[in-house]
Amino acid sequence: MTLKQTAAGVILLTMMVTGAACSSAPKNTASPSPSASAAASPQATAETQDTINMKGYIGARISQEKVGFLFGEAKSKDGKLILNPIAADSKEKAVKFLSSYFDAAMADKLAAHYLTEQQADGAIVTNPTSFFPTNLLDTTKADVTFDTANTADQVKFTTKDGATYTTKKVNDKFVISDVAKK
């Protein structure tokens, strides 16, 4: 459960308890209670940069996990890695699947890296070498340094081994737009 969900739950519970208390107490028309509305309304709708940074980092981890699902899970009868037929059976479908997690240029780079001209069991054989310099699934927040110039729409971070990931906000979620190794 995220901090945002927990805070929303506490506010909702407070409002329910306050509402129940107000409905059972006699009405006092002399002075409305500003504390009940003041407790609910000052909730900041703007996210902190730390929260945005975490969303960018988590978005990058999810994106990398989807690449593993698409290019690194399915195997042919002879043990070769093949394009996962559950998600795609052609380069175009693979790029479309990836476009939910990467910007268009990155999705094309990934397809060019992983998809080969070989076929096995009627599927495209994939390149077993990772495109990514760092496996983000093996990292934690403590393993990355966030760029101080990050914004609400772009989060850039560097791993301990020098890989820099840039994510950008597209349709209210973060997708990877660039990966570089220093």
Side-chain angles (χ1 to χ4, degrees):
M1 187 179 292
T2 65
L3 181 60
K4 214 173 185 182
Q5 291 171 325
T6 304
V10 169
I11 290 171
L12 183 62
L13 183 61
T14 303
M15 291 174 60
M16 289 172 42
V17 170
T18 304
C22 290
S23 64
S24 62
K27 301 239 180 213
N28 181 357
T29 57
S31 69
S33 173
S35 62
S37 62
S41 62
Q43 272 300 320
T45 56
E47 295 176 307
T48 66
Q49 190 60 50
D50 284 342
T51 302
I52 294 167
N53 287 347
M54 279 308 294
K55 285 183 176 185
Y57 170 68
I58 291 168
R61 286 175 53 106
I62 291 169
S63 298
Q64 201 173 58
E65 180 182 36
K66 296 303 180 183
V67 167
F69 166 75
L70 188 62
F71 300 117
E73 282 189 3
K75 291 186 178 182
S76 65
K77 292 175 188 168
D78 60 355
K80 292 181 182 176
L81 288 176
I82 57 172
L83 182 61
N84 196 325
I86 294 172
D89 59 6
S90 68
K91 178 183 178 180
E92 293 75 27
K93 288 182 182 175
V95 170
K96 183 177 179 182
F97 176 83
L98 291 170
S99 68
S100 295
Y101 307 98
F102 297 88
D103 73 359
M106 278 296 298
D108 286 335
K109 284 181 190 177
L110 288 165
H113 174 82
Y114 283 104
L115 298 177
T116 69
E117 297 297 321
Q118 299 173 4
Q119 295 272 323
D121 299 340
I124 300 171
V125 174
T126 60
N127 178 359
T129 306
S130 179
F131 176 87
F132 300 100
T134 299
N135 184 353
L136 291 178
L137 302 176
D138 294 337
T139 65
T140 65
K141 180 183 175 188
D143 298 326
V144 300
T145 304
F146 293 101
D147 194 318
T148 56
N150 286 346
T151 66
D153 295 324
Q154 180 175 309
V155 172
K156 190 174 188 178
F157 60 90
T158 304
T159 61
K160 285 183 177 181
D161 60 356
T164 301
Y165 290 78
T166 304
T167 62
K168 66 180 184 178
K169 196 175 209 177
V170 175
N171 297 328
D172 207 33
K173 74 176 190 174
F174 283 91
V175 299
I176 295 178
S177 60
D178 190 40
V179 177
K181 175 81 175 184
K182 290 183 181 177

